[in-house]
């Protein structure tokens, strides 16, 4: 027993290498290894993770904010002169499609150009993180584009052509409406019905009705309801308590996303943030969680991995872990859409690494 305690103490003494992590995010904003080429279409998401990571580390002064703000505005899909593309507006993920660089309208019609709900969400978040006031966002067009993505069952597509549709994109939609302070882009009642329908028999949320409970979906469900201000209306106290219990039971050292799965750093955010939103984060073992996350820290290049002795991936999971290390104020910062909006891991549809 004494030996175990000693081990734990030693484990606990791992330093948090802030400067390494700052450099990791800086590098991410400059150049990415070739293996990330497939993320090009969702580059805005990568930018968002790096920016929020720097923000959490209080290191935003290492970047040229104005240049970044202009670049993000160049990704806004603006209405054409005849406004025939309103239902396709929002933010695109990068300039891969070849639309000429421009931060001003009118937009250019292109058959394959449209916003993507997760890019609109990360674009707006990034602008806010950079201190922009969103005054150049065409809110009317953004909301028209958003509205066109909602399905009859209350869920959202990511793009106008259709895609997967589930609770992730409801979360993106709710975040967009919250940031734009205008809920006309979403049928809230239908969205709530979809979320309620995704509550599983074991009291976590699945991707949709009848699907397995999962930490990421549970976060998206609870955070969406919080953003809408409808948490206690949509779920009874009894249901909320059962959801709290399901989330608390996900802690091992760090957290896992589903019963009987290994812990993975990202769930320290997904489940940890949900517990924070449900006012019960204080009942977790903070030290064990923190120690697990620190054990996944890359001491050479910065960044955090899913597991100890594995390599840090793209920065999408990085900020998640930083947040958990910071450990407080998740709920308090909900309004700034800084901390609670990290749920992109599962939102860009490219993530299949989390189990
Ligand atoms: Zn993960």
């Amino acid at each position: 027993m004494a030996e175990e305690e000693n081990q734990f103490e030693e484990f606990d003494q791992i330093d948090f290498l802030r400067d390494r992590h700052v450099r990791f995010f800086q590098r991410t904003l400059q150049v990415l290894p070739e293996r990330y080429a497939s993320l090009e279409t969702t580059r805005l998401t990568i930018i968002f993770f790096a920016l929020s990571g720097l923000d959490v580390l209080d290191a935003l002064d290492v970047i040229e904010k104005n240049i970044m703000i202009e670049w993000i505005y160049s990704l806004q899909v603006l209405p054409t002169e005849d406004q025939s593309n309103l239902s396709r507006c929002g933010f695109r993920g990068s300039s891969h499609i070849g639309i000429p660089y421009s931060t001003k309208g009118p937009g250019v019609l292109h058959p394959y150009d449209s916003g993507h709900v997760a890019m609109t969400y990360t674009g707006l978040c990034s602008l806010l993180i950079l201190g922009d006031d969103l005054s150049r966002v065409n809110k009317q067009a953004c909301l028209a584009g958003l509205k066109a993505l909602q399905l009859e069952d209350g869920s959202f597509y990511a793009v106008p052509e259709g895609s997967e549709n589930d609770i992730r994109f409801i979360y993106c939609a709710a975040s967009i409406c919250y940031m734009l302070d205008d809920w006309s882009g979403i049928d809230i009642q239908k969205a709530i019905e979809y979320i309620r329908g995704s509550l599983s028999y074991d009291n976590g949320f699945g991707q949709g009705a009848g699907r397995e409970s999962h930490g990421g979906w549970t976060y998206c469900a609870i955070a969406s309801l919080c953003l809408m201000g409808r948490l206690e209306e949509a779920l009874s106290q009894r249901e909320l308590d059962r959801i709290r219990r399901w989330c608390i039971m996900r802690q091992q050292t760090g957290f896992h996303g589903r019963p009987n799965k290994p812990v993975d750093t990202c769930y320290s955010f997904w489940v940890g943030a949900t517990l924070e939103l449900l006012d019960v984060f204080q009942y977790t073992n903070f030290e064990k969680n923190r120690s697990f996350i620190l054990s996944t820290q890359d001491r050479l290049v910065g960044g955090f991995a899913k597991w100890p002795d594995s390599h840090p991936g793209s920065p999408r999971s990085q900020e998640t872990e930083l947040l958990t290390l910071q450990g407080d104020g998740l709920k308090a910062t909900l309004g700034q859409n800084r901390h609670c909006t990290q749920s992109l891991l599962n939102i860009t549809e490219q993530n299949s690494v989390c189990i």
Side-chain angles (χ1 to χ4, degrees):
M1 186 64 199
E3 200 176 295
E4 256 175 44
E5 275 171 19
N6 285 342
Q7 272 176 359
F8 187 72
E9 270 172 33
E10 206 174 291
F11 199 41
D12 204 25
Q13 283 164 8
I14 301 171
D15 295 328
F16 176 64
L17 303 170
R18 178 185 178 275
D19 294 346
R20 294 262 157 93
H21 301 311
V22 170
R23 284 202 291 278
F24 181 94
F25 289 128
Q26 275 184 286
R27 273 200 309 280
T28 299
L29 290 171
Q30 287 155 2
V31 63
L32 281 175
E34 192 185 349
R35 65 180 179 277
Y36 295 127
S38 63
L39 297 179
E40 171 60 20
T41 53
T42 55
R43 201 199 294 182
L44 196 45
T45 308
I46 306 294
I47 303 295
F48 163 68
F49 281 114
L51 285 178
S52 349
L54 289 171
D55 190 15
V56 170
L57 292 168
D58 198 18
L60 280 173
D61 53 331
V62 301
I63 54 164
E64 288 275 1
K65 294 199 187 78
N66 288 338
I67 293 174
M68 194 82 70
I69 288 172
E70 290 310 302
W71 179 76
I72 294 170
Y73 272 115
S74 80
L75 300 178
Q76 187 175 195
V77 180
L78 288 163
T80 52
E81 247 165 82
D82 64 0
Q83 307 237 322
S84 62
N85 67 337
L86 268 187
S87 63
R88 303 180 65 81
C89 289
F91 282 74
R92 56 181 89 90
S94 75
S95 54
H96 62 278
I97 212 165
I99 303 288
Y101 181 95
S102 168
T103 56
K104 292 196 182 97
V108 182
L109 204 58
H110 184 294
Y112 302 121
D113 190 30
S114 74
H116 180 295
V117 74
M119 302 308 130
T120 308
Y121 155 59
T122 46
L124 294 175
C125 285
S126 300
L127 287 170
L128 287 176
I129 289 168
L130 291 164
D132 184 74
D133 62 3
L134 305 186
S135 60
R136 288 189 282 157
V137 173
N138 188 324
K139 292 188 184 180
Q140 190 211 344
C142 261
L143 293 165
L146 188 61
K147 201 169 186 167
L149 295 174
Q150 191 168 20
L151 281 79
E152 201 46 45
D153 68 3
S155 65
F156 277 77
Y157 281 143
V159 288
E161 291 75 22
S163 65
E164 289 181 279
N165 59 290
D166 52 55
I167 234 169
R168 291 169 301 178
F169 302 135
I170 291 181
Y171 169 70
C172 290
S175 300
I176 292 166
C177 291
Y178 186 91
M179 285 184 275
L180 295 180
D181 196 19
D182 186 332
W183 289 85
S184 62
I186 176 171
D187 184 327
I188 292 183
Q189 210 45 49
K190 280 186 182 166
I192 290 178
E193 276 162 30
Y194 188 91
I195 293 172
R196 274 204 58 86
S198 307
L199 183 57
S200 183
Y201 69 91
D202 65 350
N203 306 305
F205 287 86
Q207 191 171 359
R211 309 286 291 271
E212 184 183 5
S213 296
H214 181 279
W217 311 117
T218 301
Y219 169 79
C220 288
I222 296 298
S224 298
L225 293 173
C226 287
L227 287 161
M228 293 170 185
R230 305 287 279 273
L231 182 69
E232 302 203 335
E233 185 187 318
L235 297 163
S236 69
Q237 279 312 315
R238 198 169 174 197
E239 285 169 325
L240 285 169
D241 281 343
R242 288 172 167 178
I243 295 164
R244 288 182 176 107
R245 184 171 188 277
W246 186 88
C247 290
I248 293 245
M249 297 296 279
R250 304 284 64 78
Q251 181 164 28
Q252 312 291 300
T253 49
F255 288 81
H256 61 200
R258 290 182 277 166
N260 300 316
K261 290 286 183 178
V263 293
D264 168 344
T265 46
C266 71
Y267 295 110
S268 291
F269 171 74
W270 297 115
V271 182
T274 310
L275 288 166
E276 183 74 38
L277 290 169
L278 295 174
D279 290 324
V280 286
F281 185 70
Q282 66 270 27
Y283 299 123
T284 62
N285 188 320
F286 184 84
E287 284 308 319
K288 280 195 174 175
N289 184 26
R290 185 174 193 277
S291 296
F292 169 72
I293 293 168
L294 284 179
S295 73
T296 71
Q297 182 176 232
D298 191 311
R299 304 184 65 78
L300 200 61
V301 297
F304 295 84
K306 280 163 74 70
W307 298 306
D309 303 322
S310 53
H311 291 290
S314 71
R316 57 190 174 188
S317 60
Q318 303 302 317
E319 183 202 5
T320 305
E321 331 323 350
L322 291 171
L323 280 169
T324 313
L325 289 170
Q326 219 187 29
D328 55 16
L330 276 170
K331 192 174 182 191
T333 50
L334 180 67
Q336 296 165 25
N337 254 291
R338 207 175 75 179
H339 290 174
C340 79
T341 48
Q342 321 307 327
S343 70
L344 268 285
L345 261 179
N346 290 321
I347 281 171
T348 60
E349 295 184 64
Q350 304 225 3
N351 175 63
S352 54
V353 294
C354 291
I355 51 176

